[in-house]
Amino acid sequence: MSVAQAVLAADIDHAASVVQEVGEMIGTVAFAASGALLAVRRNLDIVGIVFLAVSTALGGGVIRDIMVGNTPPTAFTDLKFLAAAAATGLIIFFWHPPPRLTRWPLDVTDAIGLGMFVVVGATVGHAWGASPTVAALLGFTTGVGGGIIRDVLSGKVPAILRTDEPLYAIPAFAGAVVASTLMHFDWYRGWMGLICALLVIVARLASLKYGWRGPRPYYVSREE
């Protein structure tokens, strides 16, 4: 490899790491906002709002880190993510958004967090030497983990398990598979990760707008 190629490769790796860190911060703030907005809808106090914001933002990443043996999890060693999630919860508490702004913004922030964390999770799995299949599963778990924790803590059936919920798990899993496949073949670049995240976000929001849902057993539809 020539000097120029080595420099280019180093620049690409640096760009990818920057994109990963920025993507994780964006996902953290977005998921924190979704948790805080849901807490407002549930009429929780300041403790409930901040706790749900932090749990939603960091939950998926904590699960991922435990699965790969990265202990203590990054959420407890790099406190900027915890601070960002808590600050987001506090902003929403003091802002006190009207009821109409706790509905569609909740869907948008949840979709952004889902898309970003799917790619970040797959990237972390690949960096830890996981196979493409395991990296994809880690990306999927990171993406949906925070939403599951948020819904359970707020007394809702998680969106990933509801038959009346528009597509959630399918876009997340597809995005994780694409990202991990690109990494496995050394095709992955930072901008590709952003595109993967964007596709997951668009698919989730489109399914909400048009009511796309996953397939159910044929006999369920027939009985209804």
Side-chain angles (χ1 to χ4, degrees):
M1 179 183 293
S2 66
V3 174
Q5 290 174 323
V7 171
L8 178 59
D11 288 342
I12 291 173
D13 289 341
H14 175 69
S17 64
V18 169
V19 167
Q20 177 183 334
E21 186 167 349
V22 172
E24 191 159 10
M25 181 57 71
I26 293 173
T28 297
V29 172
F31 259 156
S34 75
L37 289 170
L38 183 57
V40 172
R41 288 181 60 181
R42 295 292 188 181
N43 295 318
L44 302 185
D45 62 8
I46 184 172
V47 175
I49 292 173
V50 174
F51 183 76
L52 205 58
V54 172
S55 299
T56 305
L58 306 182
V62 169
I63 295 171
R64 175 202 66 214
D65 287 349
I66 292 174
M67 291 176 68
V68 300
N70 181 24
T71 54
T74 303
F76 303 135
T77 58
D78 191 346
L79 296 183
K80 66 174 177 287
F81 297 108
L82 175 62
T88 302
L90 287 173
I91 289 171
I92 290 178
F93 169 77
F94 286 109
W95 172 36
H96 194 272
R100 63 185 178 83
L101 290 182
T102 63
R103 290 179 171 81
W104 66 263
L106 173 59
D107 294 330
V108 173
T109 54
D110 180 65
I112 294 172
L114 181 69
M116 290 298 180
F117 275 153
V118 159
V119 175
V120 169
T123 304
V124 171
H126 178 75
W128 276 77
S131 67
T133 301
V134 174
L137 291 174
L138 286 171
F140 175 75
T141 301
T142 307
V144 304
I148 291 175
I149 292 173
R150 177 197 62 217
D151 291 346
V152 170
L153 290 178
S154 63
K156 293 176 57 181
V157 176
I160 193 175
L161 301 178
R162 290 166 50 191
T163 58
D164 63 334
E165 180 72 20
L167 296 178
Y168 194 88
I170 293 176
F173 186 69
V177 168
V178 171
S180 64
T181 301
L182 291 171
M183 291 177 221
H184 176 67
F185 289 105
D186 292 328
W187 297 335
Y188 183 83
R189 297 294 182 268
W191 60 270
M192 294 181 184
L194 289 178
I195 290 178
C196 287
L198 182 61
L199 290 176
V200 174
I201 295 168
V202 170
R204 170 61 178 164
L205 293 178
S207 70
L208 287 166
K209 179 176 177 60
Y210 298 107
W212 299 338
R213 292 177 173 81
R216 295 189 294 172
Y218 73 93
Y219 47 81
V220 173
S221 299
R222 185 174 61 187
E223 290 172 357
E224 291 178 348

